[in-house]
Amino acid sequence: MAKLLSPFKSLPAERRQALVLEALKRHKGAKTLYAQRIAARGGGFRATTLVTWANDKLAREVLRLGALQAQDELELLQMLYVDLEPQYQITFLDAAGVTHENGVIPEDLEAPYASAEQVAAGAAAVQSAHGEAGAHYLRTLVTYNLAAWPGLDAVVSAEA
């Protein structure tokens, strides 16, 4: 049986690289963290050398060497769907009747955020409006935050 790819790894390579590059631009400590991980794998480069590399070169190496951890992948997907391309989340939350501001759910709102019926309506709206990109967003929710969205796994195929 073939192992299913994580939602991050199921993105095209160019998209993954663009997300790592964006993280390097946005987060002050990301370059040092990724450089340390690459250096720890061996191969002759020291972290102090790697941090001098251009961001695009470092991003390619991060992906080539598998220097991302599961938490990194989750943070990159959150950046994608909340900060860079919130339209999927906005569509989902609007159709599910969940309070938000530009796709950001209030910190004090407790999960589950909607009923199974509302979740199904939100999923249908995302799939209708956004096609495969929206389906990827929904699979990401199933993988990382199913407890907040009851019944989402029943209406979204986890196959990627």
Side-chain angles (χ1 to χ4, degrees):
M1 179 174 216
K3 182 180 174 186
L4 291 178
L5 294 176
S6 71
F8 180 78
K9 289 178 181 159
S10 70
L11 290 170
E14 305 80 33
R15 190 93 185 267
R16 292 191 314 265
Q17 183 173 336
L19 288 172
V20 172
L21 186 57
E22 187 65 30
L24 287 167
K25 291 176 187 174
R26 286 175 176 241
H27 305 295
K28 183 179 178 184
K31 193 167 197 173
T32 301
L33 176 66
Y34 294 154
Q36 289 171 343
R37 287 190 191 156
I38 291 170
R41 292 181 170 275
F45 288 107
R46 296 182 329 170
T48 55
T49 301
L50 294 167
V51 295
T52 66
W53 286 9
N55 284 350
D56 61 333
K57 182 177 180 180
L58 186 61
R60 282 192 304 274
E61 283 301 294
V62 165
L63 293 171
R64 186 180 74 80
L65 296 174
L68 295 175
Q69 297 175 352
Q71 184 63 34
D72 301 321
E73 291 182 4
L74 173 59
E75 290 170 4
L76 290 168
L77 289 166
Q78 183 171 350
M79 179 180 64
L80 172 63
Y81 290 127
V82 176
D83 300 331
L84 302 175
E85 298 179 7
Q87 65 268 24
Y88 311 106
Q89 182 142 312
I90 291 170
T91 300
F92 180 71
L93 297 175
D94 284 348
V98 177
T99 302
H100 68 92
E101 186 170 324
N102 295 322
V104 177
I105 300 170
E107 292 285 330
D108 60 349
L109 197 60
E110 292 187 25
Y113 302 119
S115 69
E117 295 78 21
Q118 291 170 301
V119 168
V126 168
Q127 289 174 324
S128 174
H130 303 291
E132 182 52 39
H136 185 272
Y137 163 78
L138 295 170
R139 287 191 299 272
T140 300
L141 288 181
V142 168
T143 302
Y144 295 109
N145 202 11
L146 182 58
W149 307 108
L152 186 59
D153 56 338
V155 295
V156 175
S157 169
E159 301 290 323

